[in-house]
Amino acid sequence: MTTAPPTPGLRALVDGATRVLAEAGVGSPRVDATALAAHALGLDRLDLVLAPPVPDGFAERYAVLVDRRRRREPLQHIVGSTTFRWLTLHVEPGVFVPRPETEVVAQVAVDEAARLVATGAAPVVVDLCCGAGGLGLAVATEVPGSRVAAVDASPAAVALTRRNATDAGADVRVELGDVRDPALLADLAGSVDVLVSNPPYIPPDAEPVDPEVRDHDPDLALYGGGADGLDVPRAVVAAALRLLRPGGLLVMEHAEVQDAAARDVAHATGGFVDVSSRPDLTGRPRMLVARRGVAGGAADVPTGTSGTVLDGQPDVGDSPS
């Protein structure tokens, strides 16, 4: 009488999954294999040093998840969430998956909002092209006292940002809108302290290499329009010109090859000073930072108030039902 071979232990299964994912070209096979095992076990995280016993049916469930990842379905779509700074965000197909490099963009916005709060102000912060809401929610949760509005042209992104805001306990105004609309957030014109954005910016002839991005992120969140991919970023800069108060800060992500062009866009408006490019985690120039100037070109950076008195205007924290 023959007996079935014993079920491999959890570490052996993760080791095998790591090899499968590595052969498929997955960039972080061990991390992904471990995350998938945790998800199959119903755990937030998994410590393989103290690996639990393998429950019945686990190997089969795990194999299905590993095969999905082997086919380059994004890990975030499989497990349904991702981390962004201190947040855990729900992620869904059809909405852009937040990336670690964008956390640096969030830091600039967080620092500026925190600086204003330290002066006694209640800064108004706008996140344009918000996607899953990472940038705006980072400010809302890390800088108590800030008032945040988030906008996206995708109904799915708006719904997901609202869900993430609710789960984060953040009172954020979330709206459906096109950044190219000159009436967008008209009630906030000239009163915004920080405008932060990770807009679509990929040129039409620069198809993403990674299948996770190319085949799963929506085109609306990837391609910026125009021959250089900067049509939507230009609209973000134009919106910033209209929405920011004098001295307000624009922070916008872009591709590393677009740094000079993005600075030119800001300079061409005649409305920004202190225009610069800043690096991402790898040292590549990946964001435009500029201050809204005043007549004569000098930036008016307050030390005691943020210029965000909105008497008679809708509260930024009120999200429409």
Side-chain angles (χ1 to χ4, degrees), residues 116 119-124 147 191-193 245-246 302-309:
L116 291 168
T119 70
V124 174
R147 296 181 288 167
S191 66
V192 173
D193 296 279
R245 63 164 178 82
T303 58
T305 63
S306 67
T308 58
V309 178

Side-chain angles (χ1 to χ4, degrees), residues 219-246:
D219 287 354
L220 180 66
L222 293 177
Y223 298 99
D228 56 3
L230 288 172
D231 279 5
V232 176
R234 287 187 185 94
V236 169
V237 174
L241 190 71
R242 178 175 57 85
L243 294 172
L244 287 171
R245 63 164 178 82

Side-chain angles (χ1 to χ4, degrees), residues 138-236:
V139 177
T141 55
E142 295 180 42
V143 190
S146 58
R147 296 181 288 167
V148 178
V151 178
D152 202 283
S154 163
V158 168
L160 187 58
T161 294
R162 287 178 178 159
R163 180 185 179 192
N164 283 325
T166 298
D167 285 1
D171 184 13
V172 175
R173 169 180 171 181
V174 186
E175 292 190 4
L176 179 70
D178 190 328
V179 69
R180 295 166 293 190
D181 180 1
L184 183 69
L185 299 177
D187 58 300
L188 299 181
S191 66
V192 173
D193 296 279
V194 184
L195 190 148
V196 62
S197 180
N198 179 18
Y201 50 72
I202 297 176
D205 58 349
E207 185 177 87
V209 174
D210 293 338
E212 291 86 347
V213 178
R214 182 186 65 238
D215 300 336
H216 295 276
D217 276 328
D219 287 354
L220 180 66
L222 293 177
Y223 298 99
D228 56 3
L230 288 172
D231 279 5
V232 176
R234 287 187 185 94
V236 169

Side-chain angles (χ1 to χ4, degrees), residues 2-301:
T2 60
T3 59
T7 301
L10 188 58
R11 276 176 286 190
L13 289 170
V14 172
D15 287 343
T18 300
R19 290 191 293 271
V20 169
L21 297 182
E23 290 171 359
V26 172
S28 52
R30 183 71 176 184
V31 171
D32 288 20
T34 304
L36 291 172
H39 181 65
L41 290 167
L43 302 174
D44 291 333
R45 58 181 299 173
L46 176 62
D47 184 355
L48 288 174
V49 175
L50 302 172
V54 177
D56 291 342
F58 170 83
E60 291 79 11
R61 294 194 304 273
Y62 188 46
V64 171
L65 298 177
V66 171
D67 186 61
R68 289 171 64 184
R69 186 69 186 104
R70 179 187 68 81
R71 297 173 184 274
R72 305 302 290 273
E73 183 177 346
L75 174 68
Q76 299 90 337
H77 286 179
I78 297 171
V79 304
S81 65
T82 191
T83 56
F84 186 83
R85 294 175 66 84
W86 312 110
L87 297 163
T88 297
L89 300 175
H90 296 289
V91 175
E92 298 174 352
V95 179
F96 184 77
V97 175
R99 301 298 196 271
E101 55 265 32
T102 306
E103 295 186 13
V104 182
V105 178
Q107 186 66 60
V108 177
V110 165
D111 288 347
E112 179 70 2
R115 182 186 71 80
L116 291 168
V117 166
T119 70
V124 174
V125 179
V126 169
D127 175 5
L128 294 183
C129 308
C130 63
L135 288 170
L137 292 177
V139 177
T141 55
E142 295 180 42
V143 190
S146 58
R147 296 181 288 167
V148 178
V151 178
D152 202 283
S154 163
V158 168
L160 187 58
T161 294
R162 287 178 178 159
R163 180 185 179 192
N164 283 325
T166 298
D167 285 1
D171 184 13
V172 175
R173 169 180 171 181
V174 186
E175 292 190 4
L176 179 70
D178 190 328
V179 69
R180 295 166 293 190
D181 180 1
L184 183 69
L185 299 177
D187 58 300
L188 299 181
S191 66
V192 173
D193 296 279
V194 184
L195 190 148
V196 62
S197 180
N198 179 18
Y201 50 72
I202 297 176
D205 58 349
E207 185 177 87
V209 174
D210 293 338
E212 291 86 347
V213 178
R214 182 186 65 238
D215 300 336
H216 295 276
D217 276 328
D219 287 354
L220 180 66
L222 293 177
Y223 298 99
D228 56 3
L230 288 172
D231 279 5
V232 176
R234 287 187 185 94
V236 169
V237 174
L241 190 71
R242 178 175 57 85
L243 294 172
L244 287 171
R245 63 164 178 82
L249 193 69
L250 164 64
V251 188
M252 183 181 73
E253 183 171 318
H254 54 68
E256 62 180 299
V257 297
Q258 294 171 328
D259 57 320
R263 292 194 303 272
D264 288 345
V265 169
H267 282 303
T269 67
F272 290 96
V273 297
D274 300 332
V275 177
S276 65
S277 301
R278 295 197 189 178
D280 66 6
L281 294 169
T282 65
R284 300 174 299 169
R286 290 293 307 282
M287 78 179 91
L288 171 73
V289 179
R291 285 204 181 272
R292 180 69 170 93
V294 296
D300 177 18
V301 183

